[in-house]
């Protein structure tokens, strides 16, 4: 089997695990089954990356996301902080992979809503985060930077830009779920998972050939 065919099978496997997670586990209580299905769906993307020709930094970002998924699925604060750090490392890798200095001028206007969103978290999010306030602030900075870096590519890589936007949307919903809406509606868990996994998949597919 060629590397390309194997990568396609991995994408299908990842999508199947993602659907299973969304239908069965997104709103379920923590369990090892939930952890492995969630993590496996992104591990499949990371394994598919090299065969599809994705940049090494994007593949690293996917592995960091898979580690973050594993850690965030475990029910304790230390694992949560470590998971946030893993995702932050993945976003930094994406920033380096996506950013094109010559595209910065064209990204200024579409970046303004992202900057406004990041600043707005000081009013609607930070007051609810308690001891996690500074880690959350740091995470907000890196995910907004990741999305702006994707914008420097303009419309040349629409899948990647859409993936970055979905990633921001998923983290916005996660912040609402964890810190603001208590309890959050059940649809939030499924919605943020769909946005997150599709965002990662689009980033992978859009990055091929960068």
């Amino acid at each position: 089997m060629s590397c390309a065919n194997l990568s396609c099978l991995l994408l299908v496997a990842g999508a199947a695990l993602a659907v299973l997670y969304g239908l069965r586990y997104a709103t379920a209580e923590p369990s090892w089954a939930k952890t492995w299905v969630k993590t496996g769906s992104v591990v499949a993307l990371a394994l598919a990356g090299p065969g599809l020709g994705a940049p090494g930094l994007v593949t690293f970002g996917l592995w960091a996301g898979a580690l973050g998924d594993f850690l965030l699925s475990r029910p304790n604060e230390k694992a949560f902080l470590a998971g946030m750090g893993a995702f932050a490392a993945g976003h930094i890798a994406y920033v380096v992979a996506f950013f094109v200095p010559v595209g910065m001028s064209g990204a200024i206007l579409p970046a303004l809503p992202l900057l406004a969103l990041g600043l707005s978290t000081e009013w609607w999010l930070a007051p609810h985060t308690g001891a996690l306030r500074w880690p959350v602030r740091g995470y907000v900075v890196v995910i907004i930077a990741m999305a702006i870096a994707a914008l420097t590519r303009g419309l040349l890589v629409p899948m990647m830009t859409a993936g970055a936007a979905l990633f921001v949307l998923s983290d916005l919903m996660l912040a609402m779920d964890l810190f603001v809406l208590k309890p959050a509606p059940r649809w939030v868990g499924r919605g943020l998972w769909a946005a997150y996994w599709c965002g990662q998949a689009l980033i992978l597919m859009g990055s091929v050939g960068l």
Side-chain angles (χ1 to χ4, degrees):
M1 180 179 294
S2 71
C3 194
N5 288 339
L6 177 58
S7 295
C8 290
L9 287 177
L10 286 166
L11 289 177
V12 171
L17 288 172
V19 171
L20 174 61
Y21 183 86
L23 294 176
R24 173 67 179 84
Y25 295 108
T27 59
E29 294 298 314
S31 67
W32 281 110
K34 178 176 181 176
T35 293
W36 292 120
V37 171
K38 182 180 188 183
T39 305
S41 68
V42 181
V43 166
L45 297 178
L47 289 172
L52 294 172
L57 284 169
V58 170
T59 300
F60 174 85
L62 290 167
W63 280 113
L67 176 60
D69 285 326
F70 177 85
L71 292 167
L72 262 61
S73 70
R74 306 316 304 154
N76 64 77
E77 187 171 302
K78 287 184 178 179
F80 179 84
L81 284 171
M84 190 183 298
F87 272 112
H91 287 314
I92 291 170
Y94 286 159
V95 167
V96 178
F98 299 166
F99 184 66
V100 179
V102 296
M104 194 61 213
S105 59
I108 291 176
L109 285 179
L112 291 178
L114 288 169
L115 293 172
L117 174 61
L119 291 173
S120 75
T121 60
E122 285 299 302
W123 285 271
W124 63 265
L125 177 58
H128 301 281
T129 54
L132 297 174
R133 179 171 296 189
W134 281 104
V136 169
R137 280 172 170 160
Y139 186 81
V140 169
V141 170
V142 294
I143 192 168
I144 295 299
M146 182 275 292
I148 292 174
L151 288 174
T152 66
R153 295 275 175 173
L155 298 178
L156 297 176
V157 196
M159 282 197 297
M160 190 180 71
T161 305
L166 284 173
F167 212 143
V168 172
L169 175 61
S170 72
D171 276 342
L172 175 63
M173 297 173 72
L174 180 62
M176 298 293 290
D177 184 24
L178 291 177
F179 300 112
V180 181
L181 300 176
K182 296 182 179 180
R186 291 178 64 85
W187 63 264
V188 172
R190 290 192 171 94
L192 74 87
W193 172 251
Y196 164 71
W197 193 88
C198 290
Q200 290 278 45
L202 286 173
I203 284 172
L204 170 60
M205 299 305 296
S207 72
V208 173
L210 286 187

